[in-house]
Amino acid sequence: MYSETGHSLDSLDVRLLSLLTAEPRIGVLECSRRLGVARGTVQARLDRLTSRGVIRGYGPSIDPVALGYPVTGFLTLEIRQERGHRAVARHLGSIPEVLEAHTITGAGDMMCRVVARSNADLQRVIDLILGYDGVVRCSTIIALDEQIPYRVLPLVTEAATVNR
């Protein structure tokens, strides 16, 4: 996979990322044993992938449903242009139920994924978002069920094979 910085992923990178995705708590020594390469090679690859931003973190994957937040909503926000995206993003960042936010093209200006304890609680979260002067309007879609959880590994594999 060719990146903007001119680096590519090779088959060892893909195998390493696949192993870490399947078993995120595995150590460097065990990775080297399973991949059949030296420990220093694994560490160097991890350091390189981390410094390039391919690996963004090593934290646990936490399920909001297990924390008591079974409702997921996708909100399209229209914002006051004079306040700017950064100010709205700071406001959204102060609300724990906002999991992510993206500046978008199209009918809205930002899209965010939020979670809530119930539909009534979702209204509370939406009210918090709309309570900020920089947000003009909000359109909400409630997710009924998760069909494909967040994933990146198939993309890694595809990108490495397409750009050989």
Side-chain angles (χ1 to χ4, degrees):
M1 173 186 83
Y2 188 78
S3 72
E4 290 181 14
T5 56
H7 303 288
S8 62
L9 293 181
D10 63 18
S11 63
L12 180 57
D13 291 329
V14 172
R15 288 173 41 222
L16 176 59
L17 291 169
S18 297
L19 181 58
L20 289 172
T21 299
E23 299 181 50
R25 295 178 63 171
I26 193 170
V28 173
L29 188 58
E30 183 62 17
C31 278
S32 70
R33 187 186 70 72
R34 292 202 198 167
L35 296 173
V37 297
R39 181 192 179 286
T41 300
V42 170
Q43 188 62 60
R45 294 291 180 116
L46 288 173
D47 292 345
R48 182 178 54 112
L49 291 168
T50 301
S51 70
R52 287 179 40 210
V54 174
I55 296 175
R56 293 168 60 175
Y58 293 92
S61 178
I62 299 168
D63 184 0
V65 174
L67 294 175
Y69 294 86
V71 177
T72 298
F74 296 92
L75 283 58
T76 302
L77 308 179
E78 292 179 34
I79 66 170
R80 290 191 200 294
Q81 298 304 309
E82 66 271 7
R83 298 286 277 201
H85 291 86
R86 287 193 179 122
V88 173
R90 277 192 301 276
H91 169 67
L92 294 173
S94 72
I95 302 169
E97 293 87 355
V98 175
L99 301 184
E100 62 183 317
H102 303 270
T103 303
I104 61 170
T105 63
D109 299 305
M110 294 186 93
M111 178 170 279
C112 56
R113 180 168 56 124
V114 302
V115 292
R117 294 185 183 278
S118 65
N119 286 348
D121 189 46
L122 178 60
Q123 183 63 61
R124 178 191 60 82
V125 174
I126 292 168
D127 289 345
L128 282 172
I129 292 168
L130 288 171
Y132 182 67
D133 185 46
V135 179
V136 177
R137 179 175 294 109
C138 170
S139 173
T140 305
I141 297 172
I142 297 175
L144 298 177
D145 196 11
E146 180 180 71
Q147 300 300 319
I148 300 173
Y150 180 79
R151 65 193 183 137
V152 179
L153 193 55
L155 184 63
V156 169
T157 304
E158 177 67 14
T161 59
V162 167
N163 295 311
R164 282 190 197 177

